[in-house]
């Protein structure tokens, strides 16, 4: 009995749909299969085919499987998370400009949450007719880094993007809080209180407009894992909360169904501001 030829040919080349996956991961960071499926659901509705194609890309070494996702309980019940390999980045660079400089960094689970939230905003916002402007285009206005210089230190948003609504653009700084930092701290470490102080300096001095070259106001968009944590943050704010928008996304693992509600809150934000 002879063995059949493997379907994962070494000369496999990504299709146009798969290039969208590669580009999306490059822009946002690691993505679960559920988010990648939703990204191209407008042209390919079969989920099983999509999952097989993602596995094929992994076997062909365009995708890699970060091991951190196996470090939580019942990991097998979660969708697979994929990131690009060096081969994936190289292949994508022949077709589209790379945006990897704006991918979230730091602790892997935090980066996954940030990349999942920004991904959901782009996918669902685009389907709703809203335009998504990634950080790369914003930073390119003045060739500026993500970090905003302050009187003491600097402020680095978890992610930066803008939304094009019917009445114009609004810029957002995304912050995802997983409850791993203290609410207040006397030490020189990150806390919710320190973030509030830093953003107050940026917003009061319009430093974001000077640094990034933005014309629109900046909305600080916070995502919390619990309502209790959200309330602790709101208690730190002064009476004027017009430049802050918060939402709660309770989930241990970033799931499409729950994170997709982030986009709903952004659309609701638009309606309230008209």
């Amino acid at each position: 009995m002879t063995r059949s030829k493997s379907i994962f040919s070494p000369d496999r080349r990504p299709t146009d749909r798969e290039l969208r996956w590669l580009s999306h991961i490059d822009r946002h960071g690691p993505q679960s299969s559920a988010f990648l499926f939703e990204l191209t659901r407008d042209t390919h509705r079969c989920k099983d085919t999509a999952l097989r194609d993602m596995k094929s890309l992994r076997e062909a070494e365009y995708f890699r499987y970060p091991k951190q996702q196996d470090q939580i309980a019942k990991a097998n019940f979660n969708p697979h998370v994929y990131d690009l390999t060096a081969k994936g980045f190289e292949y994508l660079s022949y077709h589209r400009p790379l945006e990897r400089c704006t991918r979230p960094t730091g602790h892997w689970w935090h980066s996954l949450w940030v990349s999942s939230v920004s991904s959901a905003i782009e996918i669902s916002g685009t389907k709703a007719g809203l335009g998504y402007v990634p950080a790369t285009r914003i930073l390119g206005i003045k060739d500026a880094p993500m970090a905003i210089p302050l009187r003491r230190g600097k402020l680095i948003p978890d992610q930066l993007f803008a939304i094009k609504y019917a009445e114009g653009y609004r810029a957002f700084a995304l912050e995802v809080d997983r409850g791993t930092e203290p609410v207040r701290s006397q030490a020189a470490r990150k806390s919710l209180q320190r973030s509030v102080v830093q953003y107050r300096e940026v917003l009061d001095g319009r430093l974001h407009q000077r640094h990034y070259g933005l014309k629109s106001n900046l909305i600080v968009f916070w995502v919390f894992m619990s309502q209790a944590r959200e309330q602790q943050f709101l208690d730190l704010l002064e009476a004027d909360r017009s430049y802050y928008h918060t939402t709660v996304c309770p989930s241990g693992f970033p799931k499409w169904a729950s994170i997709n509600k982030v986009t709903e809150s952004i659309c609701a934000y638009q309606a309230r501001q008209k």
Side-chain angles (χ1 to χ4, degrees):
M1 181 176 178
T2 59
R3 185 176 181 180
S4 61
K5 184 178 179 180
S6 172
I7 63 172
F8 306 120
S9 173
D11 61 352
R12 185 192 190 288
R13 295 293 181 266
T15 63
D16 289 342
R17 176 187 60 160
E18 292 164 354
L19 272 176
R20 290 179 65 187
W21 291 344
L22 269 64
S23 182
H24 197 73
I25 294 175
D26 170 48
R27 172 179 298 160
H28 294 280
Q31 296 287 301
S32 82
S33 58
F35 285 69
L36 295 177
F37 169 68
E38 292 293 339
L39 173 67
T40 56
R41 193 173 187 173
D42 56 335
T43 58
H44 298 74
R45 297 181 178 276
C46 181
K47 187 173 183 179
D48 289 340
T49 299
L51 295 179
R52 286 196 297 269
D53 290 342
M54 292 174 204
K55 181 179 179 182
S56 173
L57 288 173
R58 179 185 172 190
E59 293 289 341
E61 299 182 346
Y62 293 99
F63 278 177
R64 66 182 181 89
Y65 180 89
K67 296 300 183 182
Q68 293 93 328
Q69 61 190 297
D70 292 333
Q71 298 172 355
I72 59 175
K74 300 182 179 180
N76 291 336
F77 292 92
N78 295 322
H80 286 176
V81 175
Y82 295 107
D83 205 346
L84 297 187
T85 62
K87 178 180 177 180
F89 279 117
E90 181 181 10
Y91 186 84
L92 180 62
S93 69
Y94 286 108
H95 298 269
R96 302 180 185 182
L98 293 180
E99 302 180 34
R100 61 192 302 178
C101 63
T102 59
R103 286 161 50 101
T105 58
H107 190 276
W108 187 84
W109 279 105
H110 180 75
S111 297
L112 176 62
W113 265 96
V114 173
S115 63
S116 298
V117 172
S118 63
S119 170
I121 292 171
E122 178 176 12
I123 294 171
S124 297
T126 300
K127 292 179 180 179
L130 305 178
Y132 182 87
V133 183
T136 301
R137 285 176 55 188
I138 297 175
L139 299 181
I141 296 174
K142 293 186 65 176
D143 194 24
M146 185 80 80
I148 303 176
L150 303 175
R151 288 189 297 267
R152 295 181 60 184
K154 56 188 177 181
L155 171 66
I156 307 176
D158 284 341
Q159 190 54 276
L160 180 71
F161 63 92
I163 297 292
K164 184 180 184 302
Y165 297 104
E167 74 277 12
Y169 290 87
R170 288 194 180 92
F172 293 84
L174 173 64
E175 295 288 345
V176 176
D177 177 84
R178 297 176 52 245
T180 58
E181 298 162 353
V183 176
R184 296 178 176 85
S185 176
Q186 299 298 324
R189 58 168 297 187
K190 189 173 182 180
S191 66
L192 288 183
Q193 184 181 45
R194 184 183 180 191
S195 294
V196 168
V197 171
Q198 289 182 325
Y199 271 112
R200 185 177 297 130
E201 180 180 345
V202 169
L203 296 170
D204 289 347
R206 297 185 180 275
L207 303 185
H208 58 285
Q209 295 183 345
R210 185 190 316 165
H211 180 71
Y212 296 134
L214 291 168
K215 296 181 180 179
S216 65
N217 289 326
L218 183 72
I219 306 301
V220 188
F221 190 76
W222 285 83
V223 179
F224 296 94
M225 304 290 108
S226 71
Q227 291 182 346
R229 184 73 169 181
E230 179 188 37
Q231 187 58 53
Q232 288 177 319
F233 171 78
L234 294 175
D235 291 341
L236 294 172
L237 299 181
E238 296 179 352
D240 185 9
R241 301 177 179 178
S242 58
Y243 292 114
Y244 296 90
H245 183 67
T246 64
T247 189
V248 176
C249 186
S251 177
F253 182 90
K255 303 283 184 67
W256 170 259
S258 57
I259 295 184
N260 188 34
K261 295 181 180 179
V262 170
T263 300
E264 296 177 2
S265 64
I266 285 186
C267 293
Y269 173 87
Q270 175 198 13
R272 289 198 302 272
Q273 297 299 310
K274 288 184 177 179

